[in-house]
Amino acid sequence: MVRFIATKLMYVLLTLFLLATVTFFMMKAIPGDPFMGEKKLPPAIYNNMIAKYGFDQPVWKQYLTYMNNLLHLDLGESMKSANRTVNNIIQNSFPNSAKLGLVAIIVSVIVGIALGVIAALYHRGLIDALATIVAVLGVSIPSFVLAPLMQYFFAVKLGWFHVAGLKEPLDYVMPVIALSALPIAFIARLTRSNMVEVMNSDYIKTAKSKGLSKAIIINRHALRNAILPVVTYLGPMTANIVTGSVVIEKIFGIAGIGKYFVESVSNRDYTLIMGLTLFYAFILIMARFLTDIAYAAIDPRIKLNSRGGGS
Amino acid sequence: MNKRKKTGSIMLALVISVSMLLSACSNNGGNTGGNNTGGTNTPTNEAQNNTSGEAGLAAEQIFRMNLHAEPPTLDPGMSQDNTSGTVLNAVMEGLTTVDKDGNVQPGMAEKWEVSEDNLTYTFTIRDGATWSTGEPVTAHDFEFAWKRVLDPTKETPAPYAYQLYYLKNAEAYNTEEIKDASQVGVKAQDDKTLVVELHSPTAYFLNLLSFYTYYPVNKAVVEANPKFAAEAATHSTNGPFLLTEWSHNESLLLTKNPNYYNADKIHFTEVRMSIIGDGNTELSMYETGDLDWAGRPTGEIPTDMLPTLKADPEANLQIQGIASTYYFNFNTTKEPFDNVNIRKALAMAIDRKAIVEKVTLGEQIPAFGFVPYGIKGENDTYRNEVKDSYFTEDVEQAKALLAKGMEEKGLSKLPAITVTHNEGEGHKKIATAIADMWKKNLGVEVNVQSQEWGVFLTNRTNLNYDIARAGWGADYNDPMTFLDMWITGGGNNDTGFANAEYDGLIKKAQTSADPAERMAAMAAAEKILMDEMPILPIYYYTGIWMQKPYVQGVWIDYSGEIRFNYGSIAEH
């Protein structure tokens, strides 16, 4: 187990290093800089700013400086938001994204699996058909369409929720639905097809013939096997929810990290672009990493050897 | 050059895709690539007297508006954008303020004297001017604040330092020509007296003093904590409202400052500013009553909603001219745009009325000059005194001019033209409409190209374009803020335009203390600009917003900035 984790961690660091390097040089290759605007700064002030941030140095030197700071976990100061460090921005904004994301993940898993199991149990029945419809809708309506539609009906027309913000528990309803619609649909489909397959397998038939109760069969024997693929999907799903929330955060005015991410690129806020890219990458890679471990824990058939690569 | 541009766009696409990782959508907040200016607003402020009736005020005096984006900084010396400016105008105050009619009123200074030669101003700081942290506001705070902005060795240099170049030796000190800060023309004689010396007579200097770059900062607080402005808790303010809460990227809460010298005229007990980047969300919040104000200046009303909102009396949509101009730049260093007749032909062959009525939908005013409405002239507004009848739309004459221009250039057919604009649905629609008009009226081939903001600005600055979209808003209330940018080699002159006579007229207006002579020189300069046509004016911007009918005493000033300090909520 230790060796498995150690190897995985090494890959994590290597990926982050490569990503930092590639992003840094590509970012520097884009035209423009953080001090541009419709109204230009006088050359003296502009040069002063450029020198202050070391942009007059050769790019490789800037790269070394950045990597050195990165080693000390110092992501630097944002160039757009004066006096605020990237670390501080992440500390302030990530909890908001994480809260929303976690709720969305939990809702997706619970609702998705429940829908899938019910659909499988009533295979080819009316409930199955309904669950399929929900799943198809969830997959086919993008969140940036679903979100304003919900705002219009539930907030403006019916007045059930606030249009935007995350102050009260009820405020979570719309953004969470928008974020989890797709994963719910996906998990439900995955669970249903696996459930149907498992329920028809010999060992379930054996259990049934032994006279075990339906609840025990489903909980102890069927579900466990049926949700294995769902666990595999958790990694990419976490990724989808965390990055997908960029759009949702904008629409619902949530002070999350996604808002900063999009703006940092158009502002050429170099330190913020780098910091957030690496932070996102770290979150996504860790999500995969944990998935791998969880998968290994659930399924004893998976050997904990130094099998590298992605899952 | 062309190749570089292409590589640039490819790299950009790569970086965006990598940094966005799996996210499919890169919906740009658009605040940098906005329709107007990257970040400026104007030296004006509040009226001292409340113009609205005091009768029937609601018990709850809370004003709720949307900021659209996080203020990048609330340090008045570091600020350079109108989101920060909107907050700063409420929580801080300079030596003067400006009322609804654009007249200068006393602010932190209760009175001032101006010397015969218009070069020395002596201000007396009012009694009862205090910082939110309790200390009195002194002349030393102003001297410290201004020198801090100009200090080239400051840890983070102030981007708007040039707003202070009107002071004697300010530019020299800021550009490190002189090292001695004491030579800069600002001196606190004692706690109450501030002496300011100017570089040259400046007709609108008292007006400028109400702009946030000229605000004071609390010397003791700033010296103890240079990053004082990063959080509400460490900020020290002196305006009608206190910065009570700043939840980054989420909301700001301003509360009435009970110690403000004019506190009995301030009605709002709270101003709640949300930070919602999505125009449709803002609109929904206005509809549900979560906002009292939506749209201009810090918010955004989606253009496609305008026809519906105009027809809906409930929405209470307001439209008002703001001092900004939307135009195209010609690259006058590139053939065939180095020919004035070809430039003129293109300018005369479009239908501006159709653009504002069918494309932009915001009752913008077709522009035939460069200085917009709302800018002060000698007695009236400049645009009323100097009509923009420099040219007319005339397809026949345009065809003749084009033929003449092509003959002069020895061309039998005009090469295909590329119109470049920064990303944005609105810009694209306008450019496409104009391209169609040129195709139809002049038979020229036109391509429309959209570029990401940073790429676009870099190309425009490097004169790497044929025709490029541009917009300009006022920095201060004088035609000079529009005209001095076209001088030869001017930092914002992205056209390659160079005209000695024009430069001379601008110089004359800049150094003259006689208002009539200044205005005449600037009018003559604008005429040259329109005769030579390095730019193609399209329309004068309007500000579009909605306000609940019970909001009173809140207004949009000449440049489109919101002034809510003396507002109130009527009973409803």
Side-chain angles (χ1 to χ4, degrees), chain A residues 19 22-53 77-85 88-89 92-93 96 144 148 151-152 155-157 159 161-167 235-236 239-240 242-247 249-268 273-274 276-282 284, chain B residues 4-5 7-9 11-12 14-16 18-23 25-32 34 36-40 68-73 75 78 80-81 151-162 165 174-176 226-231 246-251 275-281 284-285 287-288 290 327 452-458 460-461 469-475 481 491-494:
Chain A
L19 190 79
V22 172
T23 313
F24 189 91
F25 285 104
M26 286 203 300
M27 181 180 79
K28 285 288 172 183
I30 325 174
D33 61 60
F35 316 117
M36 66 193 174
E38 182 83 60
K39 303 201 172 182
K40 283 185 212 104
L41 297 174
I45 298 179
Y46 178 82
N47 292 335
N48 207 343
M49 307 279 279
I50 291 286
K52 201 89 233 173
Y53 288 100
E77 200 165 283
S78 161
M79 286 159 195
K80 178 85 179 173
S81 288
N83 292 338
R84 295 194 65 202
T85 62
N88 172 268
I89 287 175
N92 260 310
S93 58
N96 290 325
F144 60 86
Q151 276 182 334
Y152 181 71
V156 178
K157 287 285 152 195
F161 307 111
H162 288 129
V163 177
L166 259 196
K167 292 197 174 66
N240 270 332
V242 175
T243 50
S245 63
V246 170
V247 184
E249 280 174 14
K250 184 167 186 235
I251 294 178
F252 289 103
I254 293 159
I257 201 165
K259 257 183 163 182
Y260 283 104
F261 201 19
V262 179
E263 283 164 18
S264 69
V265 179
S266 47
N267 287 338
R268 300 287 190 278
I273 297 178
M274 287 302 295
L276 295 186
T277 304
L278 290 175
F279 183 74
Y280 262 111
F282 179 73
L284 303 192
Chain B
R4 221 193 113 201
K5 181 178 81 187
T7 327
S9 343
M11 295 311 282
L12 175 84
L14 276 172
V15 166
I16 289 182
V18 161
S19 63
M20 293 302 290
L21 284 171
L22 302 173
S23 168
C25 178
S26 64
N27 190 359
N28 186 333
N31 61 330
T32 44
N36 190 3
T37 55
T40 35
H68 196 70
E70 161 93 346
T73 174
D75 181 339
M78 293 301 294
Q80 55 162 339
D81 68 286
D151 184 358
T153 61
K154 191 166 168 285
E155 196 194 342
T156 316
Y160 253 22
Y162 65 92
Y165 282 4
N174 185 236
T175 55
E176 297 187 78
K227 297 184 176 185
F228 72 102
E231 306 294 339
W246 183 4
S247 307
H248 290 291
N249 227 354
E250 188 174 357
S251 61
I275 301 174
I276 305 284
D278 189 88
N280 284 308
T281 304
S284 299
M285 288 176 72
E287 280 177 44
T288 56
D290 289 330
Y327 59 100
E452 191 269 347
W453 182 235
V455 178
F456 171 76
L457 283 182
T458 308
R460 204 177 71 187
T461 306
R469 184 253 145 200
W472 193 259
D475 275 335
T481 187
N492 285 302
N493 181 352
D494 287 342

Side-chain angles (χ1 to χ4, degrees), chain A residues 182-200:
Chain A
L182 181 90
I184 286 178
F186 203 88
I187 292 176
R189 254 179 15 185
L190 215 58
T191 313
R192 178 185 170 276
S193 59
N194 280 301
M195 233 5 219
V196 169
E197 204 186 302
V198 171
M199 290 302 278
N200 289 329

Side-chain angles (χ1 to χ4, degrees), chain A residues 120-138:
Chain A
L121 293 182
Y122 299 93
H123 188 41
R124 292 185 205 288
L126 180 66
I127 295 179
D128 185 19
L130 282 178
T132 310
I133 290 173
V134 170
V136 170
L137 282 181

Side-chain angles (χ1 to χ4, degrees), chain B residues 312-509:
Chain B
D312 176 10
E314 291 270 301
N316 201 22
L317 189 81
Q318 311 283 320
I319 296 182
Q320 177 188 308
I322 54 170
S324 302
T325 306
Y326 191 106
Y327 59 100
F328 281 171
N329 275 351
F330 286 113
N331 182 355
T332 65
T333 63
K334 186 175 173 184
E335 292 197 342
F337 310 103
D338 54 350
N339 182 286
V340 63
N341 288 319
I342 292 178
R343 297 199 295 263
K344 276 189 167 167
L346 291 170
M348 292 171 80
I350 63 175
D351 182 352
R352 288 164 180 79
K353 195 157 172 280
I355 292 168
V356 300
E357 283 176 2
K358 300 209 171 74
V359 182
T360 59
L361 305 174
E363 296 177 20
Q364 289 84 355
I365 306 151
F368 297 90
F370 189 58
V371 180
Y373 285 88
I375 292 286
K376 278 188 173 183
E378 195 186 337
N379 302 307
D380 195 353
T381 64
Y382 172 84
R383 202 69 285 168
N384 283 343
E385 289 175 352
V386 184
K387 294 281 174 236
D388 64 348
S389 50
Y390 297 111
F391 68 101
T392 52
E393 287 164 357
D394 183 338
V395 174
E396 289 317 307
Q397 208 189 332
K399 278 180 184 160
L401 281 171
L402 182 67
K404 190 175 164 210
M406 290 203 303
E407 200 187 306
E408 284 164 1
K409 296 301 296 178
L411 293 167
S412 55
K413 186 180 179 298
L414 203 67
I417 299 172
T418 303
V419 177
T420 314
H421 64 87
N422 51 312
E423 281 172 347
E425 205 45 47
H427 301 320
K428 189 185 193 111
K429 282 183 185 160
I430 293 168
T432 310
I434 290 176
D436 281 344
M437 290 169 185
W438 283 338
K439 273 179 215 165
K440 192 172 126 252
N441 295 339
L442 301 176
V444 296
E445 204 182 310
V446 191
N447 305 311
V448 173
Q449 196 184 57
S450 170
Q451 292 180 352
E452 191 269 347
W453 182 235
V455 178
F456 171 76
L457 283 182
T458 308
N459 283 329
R460 204 177 71 187
T461 306
N462 295 335
L463 294 178
N464 182 17
Y465 69 90
D466 292 350
I467 295 175
R469 184 253 145 200
W472 193 259
D475 275 335
Y476 46 89
N477 198 348
D478 192 88
M480 188 57 83
T481 187
F482 286 88
L483 295 171
D484 70 355
M485 64 189 282
W486 302 113
I487 56 169
T488 306
N492 285 302
N493 181 352
D494 287 342
T495 61
F497 174 67
N499 184 302
E501 198 188 344
Y502 186 89
D503 299 349
L505 286 164
I506 295 299
K507 188 96 203 152
K508 189 174 164 194

